[in-house]
Amino acid sequence: MRHLECFLAVGEERHFGRAAERLGMEQPPLSQRIRRLEKELGAELFDRSGGQVALTAAGHVLMREAPALLRQHQRMRSLVKRAAETDPAAPPRPWTSIY
């Protein structure tokens, strides 16, 4: 999920240096994360030519989808944490009651 957060920062800033500053990290590790994400997805997300950073068609798709993915991930983490904090001797019944 951190890769998606990094992607969104670069996508919003359209600049690796500013995105790295915003995320509180150095620029080389940020670039490496983006490259790993591109490799994982099998698509270049940014056009880095011409001295500017621009989204590719694949990057535009991910810019639309990433915020919802991050929200869903946070929701899942909250639900799992809440479930873990319940009394194991008395699990909620039906399980849907924790949702």
Side-chain angles (χ1 to χ4, degrees), residues 8-20:
L8 283 174
V10 175
E12 290 168 358
E13 296 290 340
R14 299 294 202 271
H15 191 275
F16 279 85
R18 285 192 302 267

Side-chain angles (χ1 to χ4, degrees), residues 46-93:
F46 296 103
D47 178 359
R48 297 161 176 88
S49 64
Q52 292 188 330
V53 176
L55 289 167
T56 63
H60 280 285
V61 170
L62 192 56
M63 279 297 285
R64 283 193 312 265
E65 298 298 318
L69 289 170
L70 289 171
R71 282 191 304 274
Q72 184 64 28
H73 180 257
Q74 185 57 43
R75 180 178 181 275
M76 183 242 353
R77 290 176 57 95
S78 296
L79 291 171
V80 168
K81 183 178 180 184
R82 190 178 337 153
E85 292 170 350
T86 62
D87 181 1
R93 288 197 173 74

